[in-house]
Amino acid sequence: MTVAAPDESILLQAAQAVTQNAPKPLVGKVVEALLQSEKHSRQAKPKYQPEQLQGTWRLCLITGTQKARDRWELPWERGAMSPVG
């Protein structure tokens, strides 16, 4: 079974919310886009050249209260790191 490509506009909007104080997308949509992106990349097994990964990156820690994790059924326990390029 082939997994559909993720909605990159949601991920871009989430990154802009962190880097540019843009409006935040709905948490559920971000989580779904991240999970879809992970599934898609596992199937597609993309190959990247070092030049494609050069640039300024920073890691953002994604956390939440236990109540928020339960409410959104987040797949991580206490936090996760997400790169923002």
Side-chain angles (χ1 to χ4, degrees):
M1 181 171 93
T2 303
V3 175
D7 183 356
E8 292 181 7
S9 65
I10 295 293
L11 299 178
L12 180 61
Q13 187 179 0
Q16 289 172 341
V18 172
T19 60
Q20 302 170 6
N21 281 338
K24 296 178 182 177
L26 296 173
V27 173
K29 289 188 180 239
V30 174
V31 170
E32 183 60 35
L34 286 170
L35 293 173
Q36 194 73 13
S37 178
E38 184 178 352
K39 288 177 188 175
H40 184 263
S41 68
R42 284 184 182 169
Q43 282 190 351
K45 297 185 192 245
K47 304 258 191 254
Y48 297 104
Q49 298 298 318
E51 302 83 41
Q52 292 175 284
L53 303 174
Q54 288 180 343
T56 303
W57 291 83
R58 72 181 202 197
L59 289 175
C60 293
L61 179 63
I62 302 167
T63 63
T65 62
Q66 183 64 45
K67 183 178 177 181
R69 288 193 301 268
D70 291 344
R71 177 178 176 198
W72 295 104
E73 299 176 8
L74 299 177
W76 49 83
E77 290 295 318
R78 294 206 172 124
M81 298 299 284
S82 177
V84 177

